[in-house]
Amino acid sequence: MRHGLTNLKLYFRILNMKYVARQIEKGLLKASRHFPAIILTGPRRAGKTTLLKHLFPKATYVLIEDPDVIARVRSDPNGFLDELKAPVILDEIQNVPELFNYIRTRIDRSPNKNGLWFLTGSQEAPLMKGVTESMAGRAAVFQLFPFSMAETPKAGLLRGGFPEVLAKPGMERIWFRSYIQTYLERDVRAVSTIRDLATYRRFLSILASRCGQILNKTDIAAPLGVSVPTITQWLGILEITGQIILVPPFFENFGKRLVKSPKLYFVDSGLACHLLGVESEKALAGSVFLGPIFEGFVASEIVKEQLNSGRERALYYFRDQQGLEVDFVVPLGEKCLALLEAKATQTPKPEMGRVLLQLARNIDTYDTTAYVVHRPRPKASPLSVLCSGVQAMPADRMRKMFEDKG
């Protein structure tokens, strides 16, 4: 009985959830006035459906995930579409990619009618293949990640930014465990022929322990007893389903020989913490993974800001073979770069900016700004001078870095 009451309370808490505005809304609304179709990709449970239902409340909604619905679509796609009243939200459309051709035909019949088709998917590669082959020029494409700190102060290092995690305090462990199981059963099997899901689950945990490191596939493959090509395939699945960020090295060498492999991060720091068994703020504070998890959190916040504001997704790191390394290099417009070090402290110190100044002195083809990004603290100023040429910036104020450059 007690469990029933607990579940009932949780149910009403979810019902009473207030909608939290997303930064990407303005871009979606603008695109809906100029394109017949909108494609919204992103990780499962990032909030895609909630967002589209909020922005377009009169749209007909169909989830294409139930086997009966998928069978119906495949048996008679025209009949299925004829029954729908536009505008239409088709959720998880990658399950029936053949539907793109039929939607394209309808768009071409009335090319001047915009904002009729809103298509979502949690597997970017198959979805984008359908867009490239059938919807080129007819659809605007967006990607939605979980909440950023700019969207809600509830997003953070331990819990991440998935909407349902932030709406269910104390339920993180159960939610993430269920999420991983759903992800393995649906998304992984949908895009691969993986049979040993238990080994893939171990792969996720090992990968979480490599956050912030330069990708070494051999090092990951060895404890799992699988081949390097298998690791390459599995990493591709994580990218396709929006779970990881691979940050490449910056493409200009500034007169130095560079490391060429990417660095790896999880999109959601809460998921990374769960995979590492970090379940409390106290455990996180004492964890050897605090620094790498925070670094990944900063990477994700940067990418979220770029995607949500319609900017090009562009994030790099710098490391040469002499050992000079800077966590992130972010293009901010014409011949301008931001150099960032991510430090999991609330008290940044001047010496943390030395590598930024060292790299900046070697760059004469760009204007540079340098920041040490640190964990936020209450009532702290948005920016402060750490040392000459370097500013300290709380992680929840990184949006200002982009605003200052227009």
Side-chain angles (χ1 to χ4, degrees):
M1 183 67 179
R2 181 180 298 175
H3 291 296
L5 289 173
T6 300
N7 291 335
L8 190 61
K9 289 177 182 177
L10 181 59
Y11 174 74
F12 282 112
R13 184 190 299 167
I14 295 170
L15 282 182
N16 292 326
M17 279 173 53
K18 290 184 178 180
Y19 177 78
V20 179
R22 306 302 300 261
Q23 281 183 269
I24 205 171
E25 288 179 9
K26 184 177 179 181
L28 284 170
L29 289 170
K30 182 178 180 180
S32 71
R33 296 191 291 268
H34 297 276
F35 288 87
I38 302 294
I39 311 288
L40 185 60
T41 74
R44 185 176 292 276
R45 313 310 298 171
K48 301 183 294 294
T49 303
T50 300
L51 170 61
L52 290 178
K53 283 184 172 182
H54 176 80
L55 293 182
F56 310 102
K58 295 182 180 180
T60 303
Y61 173 78
V62 181
L63 173 61
I64 310 179
E65 206 160 49
D66 185 280
D68 291 339
V69 175
I70 293 174
R72 181 168 157 241
V73 172
R74 287 178 172 163
S75 66
D76 185 10
N78 275 319
F80 170 77
L81 292 176
D82 284 341
E83 293 177 6
L84 302 178
K85 181 181 179 182
V88 178
I89 299 170
L90 297 178
D91 206 354
E92 302 294 353
I93 194 173
Q94 80 277 346
N95 291 318
V96 282
E98 58 269 32
L99 204 54
F100 279 114
N101 289 324
Y102 296 93
I103 294 173
R104 180 193 62 193
T105 299
R106 290 163 188 260
I107 289 174
D108 290 346
R109 286 182 199 154
S110 306
N112 296 321
K113 291 185 178 181
N114 296 319
L116 296 182
W117 302 95
F118 300 95
L119 316 174
T120 84
S122 53
Q123 299 160 16
E124 186 175 5
L127 191 66
M128 291 311 299
K129 182 180 179 182
V131 173
T132 302
E133 294 177 353
S134 305
M135 304 288 284
R138 302 170 179 86
V141 181
F142 296 83
Q143 188 174 16
L144 183 71
F145 278 176
F147 279 121
S148 68
M149 293 187 85
E151 292 172 315
T152 173
K154 292 183 179 180
L157 200 56
L158 179 66
R159 300 176 69 201
F162 279 107
E164 289 168 326
V165 173
L166 303 185
K168 303 174 184 179
M171 299 295 289
E172 297 91 340
R173 184 177 182 181
I174 296 173
W175 191 91
F176 280 119
R177 187 176 66 227
S178 302
Y179 181 84
I180 290 171
Q181 187 62 37
T182 301
Y183 168 69
L184 291 173
E185 292 293 339
R186 292 184 181 179
D187 293 336
V188 173
R189 279 188 166 155
V191 297
S192 74
T193 56
I194 292 175
R195 295 180 181 177
D196 189 355
L197 292 180
T199 300
Y200 193 87
R201 172 65 175 79
R202 286 172 53 216
F203 161 71
L204 292 177
S205 295
I206 290 174
L207 214 58
S209 72
R210 305 299 195 272
C211 277
Q213 296 182 16
I214 293 175
L215 183 61
N216 185 330
K217 296 177 185 177
T218 302
D219 179 56
I220 297 169
L224 293 170
V226 301
S227 67
V228 169
T230 295
I231 294 299
T232 300
Q233 179 199 12
W234 289 0
L235 288 166
I237 293 169
L238 288 172
E239 280 199 286
I240 286 170
T241 52
Q243 301 297 333
I244 61 171
I245 299 171
L246 293 179
V247 177
F250 194 63
F251 47 85
E252 292 191 30
N253 62 21
F254 308 126
K256 297 177 178 289
R257 296 182 64 189
L258 302 181
V259 174
K260 296 182 179 179
S261 297
K263 291 172 74 172
L264 180 143
Y265 302 100
F266 274 75
V267 165
D268 190 74
S269 61
L271 179 57
C273 285
H274 176 78
L275 289 168
L276 292 167
V278 177
E279 298 180 357
S280 68
E281 291 289 354
K282 183 178 180 180
L284 180 60
S287 173
V288 296
F289 297 111
L290 173 61
I293 289 172
F294 180 71
E295 191 177 318
F297 181 79
V298 170
S300 186
E301 288 289 298
I302 292 169
V303 172
K304 288 173 185 177
E305 176 62 33
Q306 291 171 334
L307 294 176
N308 291 342
S309 59
R311 293 179 172 88
E312 180 182 357
R313 178 172 169 172
L315 177 64
Y316 308 91
Y317 78 96
F318 182 90
R319 182 175 181 178
D320 64 24
Q321 293 188 348
Q322 287 70 48
L324 176 61
E325 182 173 357
V326 167
D327 289 338
F328 302 115
V329 178
V330 185
L332 292 179
E334 187 70 22
K335 290 294 180 181
C336 183
L337 296 175
L339 311 179
L340 281 73
E341 278 287 290
K343 299 297 182 182
T345 178
Q346 292 183 319
T347 313
K349 298 178 180 179
E351 55 266 28
M352 295 176 179
R354 286 176 184 167
V355 292
L356 299 173
L357 295 174
Q358 189 176 346
L359 179 57
R361 283 193 293 267
N362 289 308
I363 300 175
D364 55 13
T365 53
Y366 291 84
D367 293 328
T368 61
T369 53
Y371 303 93
V372 171
V373 182
H374 59 89
R375 298 187 72 179
R377 61 183 186 273
K379 299 180 180 179
S381 59
L383 291 173
S384 59
V385 176
L386 191 61
C387 58
S388 179
V390 181
Q391 297 182 79
M393 179 167 59
D396 60 350
R397 303 300 180 92
M398 282 194 293
R399 191 176 187 186
K400 183 171 176 55
M401 176 177 70
F402 294 93
E403 292 173 344
D404 288 347
K405 297 297 178 181

